Amino acid sequence: MATRLALLGGRPVRTRPFPAWPVFGRAEEVRLLRTLRSGRWGRLDGEEVRRFEERFAAMHGCRHGIAVVNGTVSLRLALIAAGLRAGDEVVVPPYTFFSTASAVVEANMVPVFADVDLDTFNLDPAAAKAAITPRTRAIIPVHFAGQPADMDAMMRLARKHRLVVIEDAAHAHGARYGDRPAGSLGHLASFSFQSSKNLTCGEGGIITTNDARLAGRCQSLHNCGRVPGGLWYEHHLISGNYRLGEFQGAVLNAQLDRLDAQTHTRDRNGRYLASRLAALPGLHPQQRPAACTRHGYHLFMLRLDGEAFGAPRSAVIEALRAEGIPCSAGYGFSLPQQPMFRRKAFGPYLSGAAARLDYGRANVPTSDLLCREQGIWLEQPLLLGRRADMDDIARAFEKVHGHGAALSAWARARRPRRRKEAG
Ligand SMILES: Cc1ncc(COP(=O)(O)O)c(C=O)c1O
């Protein structure tokens, strides 16, 4: 068997760092300086954001792209553009970042949680169907980790119940579902360009759609309710200034030139890593349906069944980190258990609906299992390396598995000490 676990004093599998993020170079410098010197720093003055919107939308199978300040605002504006009203219900998964649901509350609408699938970690169509009530007006499937949700099922539900589908594609730049890009699969889609994302300018977001009427509403909503041909100080909708600035547009245009090759690399490495890890007992990499023709791999996510693997998740994560593999447990609890939802800390929103809501009763066992016991995340920059880097990751998992008994004993020995320390 390989040397002792690094956690217990052995030699780590790896000491070299993984690729750094973000990746940038001369192209970003040239565009940023050009923007700086032009003095045209705002969306309405320059060309960078406009050009980026066209290019990003086209790459994602859409005629329209509306860039905004982040991927939370893009969700909220998409909901409002779709014509939803105060108190309307929106089905969302519980295993996602806060914004998928908080944007619904900030649009004065009611998030209803439907559990995710244990194999794909995406919204479970049967759970989404069961969550639909006469008040439901929309579904927000998240393409979790960069893998498109079951959009055929989502669109079937939408047709049957006359719902709007907004893809939360914050993780899914460049991903494909069959022969279509993520971002073109629902009525509207929302992407994020926050620092960790596969396409980034620090902070930013975009709404994509093929519907000219919805695009027009988004345009107006992100620009203080102005309308084409209207006066500068003429406002038709309640909204604000959510326009993205030209410096971000400049960075995004340079980053976009890198996206296709980076997505290809992540997809190839992710597939390979999944095939290696699936061979170990108790490890279940995100299952990839045939419809996912390109995975965005914002995260490489897997499920660890501690009993079958031979050691609990927290110890496995510590052991992997000691072996030189950065990883985490991801979300600590499902969204309905967020203090905001449990305490209904909705601020000025949902005043009419709050009394009938009780998120403490949300039944989302798969999401709970992933959060509390089984989910493990590796972040996207790791997948920008070479096959040898994936081999290191696989070897680290294999080594930790091979020392499961020693690791479990270490975890057991540590538990009482921790309790004592806490006491
Ligand atoms: C699934 C998901 N949706 C929405 C967002 C919100 O994006 P932003 O941070 O740009 O507001 C994020 C960001 O982490 C996310 O992961």
Side-chain angles (χ1 to χ4, degrees):
M1 199 186 290
T3 99
R4 278 203 301 163
L5 287 174
L7 188 66
L8 305 180
R11 272 227 334 257
V13 166
R14 183 181 171 107
T15 48
R16 272 183 312 125
F18 283 93
W21 186 258
V23 176
F24 61 93
R26 180 125 179 87
E28 282 78 2
E29 284 179 20
V30 168
R31 280 186 182 267
L32 276 170
L33 273 176
R34 198 168 63 199
T35 303
L36 180 76
R37 290 173 180 147
S38 75
R40 295 199 298 264
W41 298 352
R43 162 73 176 87
L44 304 174
D45 312 315
E47 283 295 300
E48 291 285 354
V49 174
R50 192 189 54 73
R51 181 85 193 98
F52 172 75
E53 289 173 334
E54 287 169 9
R55 297 176 64 209
F56 185 88
M59 273 177 78
H60 291 82
C62 287
R63 283 192 292 279
H64 311 281
I66 301 93
V68 294
V69 290
N70 60 51
T72 307
V73 158
S74 48
L75 283 169
R76 185 163 64 81
L77 296 192
L79 286 162
I80 296 169
L84 273 73
R85 305 259 179 92
D88 283 351
E89 290 182 2
V90 180
V91 176
V92 296
Y95 193 79
T96 174
F97 182 62
F98 181 60
S99 292
T100 312
S102 70
V104 176
V105 175
E106 283 193 294
N108 210 15
M109 297 160 195
V110 178
V112 175
F113 292 101
D115 210 353
V116 291
D117 179 84
L118 186 64
D119 297 321
T120 64
F121 315 140
N122 271 330
L123 184 56
D124 175 354
K129 183 175 173 200
I132 292 171
T133 75
R135 291 193 179 104
T136 310
R137 295 285 176 270
I139 312 180
I140 308 183
V142 178
H143 301 320
F144 195 79
Q147 175 162 291
D150 184 345
M151 290 302 292
D152 288 340
M154 296 304 150
M155 297 314 285
R156 267 197 305 276
L157 276 182
R159 280 190 294 275
K160 183 158 179 215
H161 298 276
R162 304 172 126 262
L163 308 176
V164 175
V165 177
I166 300 170
E167 300 164 65
D168 185 343
H171 299 178
H173 318 75
R176 294 184 78 84
Y177 182 79
D179 58 1
R180 288 187 299 150
S184 66
L185 307 168
H187 301 104
L188 295 137
S190 161
F191 291 83
S192 163
F193 306 129
Q194 173 268 342
S195 305
S196 70
K197 300 302 188 296
N198 294 20
L199 185 75
T200 182
C201 58
E203 306 290 353
I206 197 168
I207 304 165
T208 55
T209 182
N210 272 309
D211 183 319
R213 192 184 55 88
L214 291 174
R217 288 177 64 87
C218 291
Q219 297 277 5
S220 179
L221 284 167
H222 97 307
N223 187 21
C224 308
R226 295 191 173 94
V227 294
L231 300 171
W232 180 245
Y233 292 119
E234 182 182 327
H235 308 274
H236 290 248
L237 295 168
I238 176 64
S239 199
N241 172 6
Y242 301 111
R243 302 180 302 261
L244 192 68
E246 284 290 283
F247 292 111
Q248 281 98 338
V251 172
L252 286 171
N253 272 316
Q255 293 278 304
L256 196 59
D257 290 336
R258 307 174 195 277
L259 178 66
D260 202 53
Q262 288 174 336
T263 310
H264 181 74
T265 302
R266 290 190 194 95
D267 191 31
R268 191 189 54 220
N269 280 331
R271 252 188 210 279
Y272 173 67
L273 184 59
S275 71
R276 293 274 316 255
L277 297 187
L280 282 176
L283 289 192
H284 304 281
Q286 183 176 32
Q287 248 179 44
R288 178 169 177 154
C292 175
T293 46
R294 192 154 86 159
H295 195 309
Y297 279 115
H298 173 58
L299 300 169
F300 181 97
M301 181 167 165
L302 68 155
R303 197 161 68 72
L304 173 128
D305 174 341
E307 240 165 71
F309 186 79
R313 176 180 66 173
S314 55
V316 170
I317 287 174
E318 283 202 51
L320 287 168
R321 286 181 181 155
E323 297 299 338
I325 311 300
C327 58
S328 76
Y331 309 126
F333 40 88
S334 299
L335 280 187
Q337 276 118 48
Q338 284 289 348
M340 183 281 265
F341 280 110
R342 275 195 293 107
R343 298 184 193 140
K344 297 197 263 190
F346 300 143
Y349 304 111
L350 292 185
S351 54
R356 70 177 154 91
L357 300 176
D358 182 359
Y359 286 104
R361 290 160 57 126
N363 182 26
V364 290
T366 303
S367 174
D368 291 344
L369 182 74
L370 293 173
C371 291
R372 293 197 189 129
E373 276 180 49
Q374 296 200 342
I376 297 183
W377 294 3
L378 305 174
E379 293 184 9
Q380 56 91 5
L382 273 65
L383 299 191
L384 286 176
R386 289 177 314 205
R387 178 174 280 222
D389 296 313
M390 302 307 106
D391 288 331
D392 281 349
I393 299 173
R395 279 197 296 125
F397 270 97
E398 285 159 8
K399 181 177 170 188
V400 173
H401 172 253
H403 291 79
L407 183 59
S408 285
W410 171 84
R412 274 196 306 274
R414 197 175 56 149
R415 226 176 288 141
R417 198 170 64 234
R418 273 211 165 159
R419 242 179 258 136
K420 225 186 259 166
E421 277 163 16

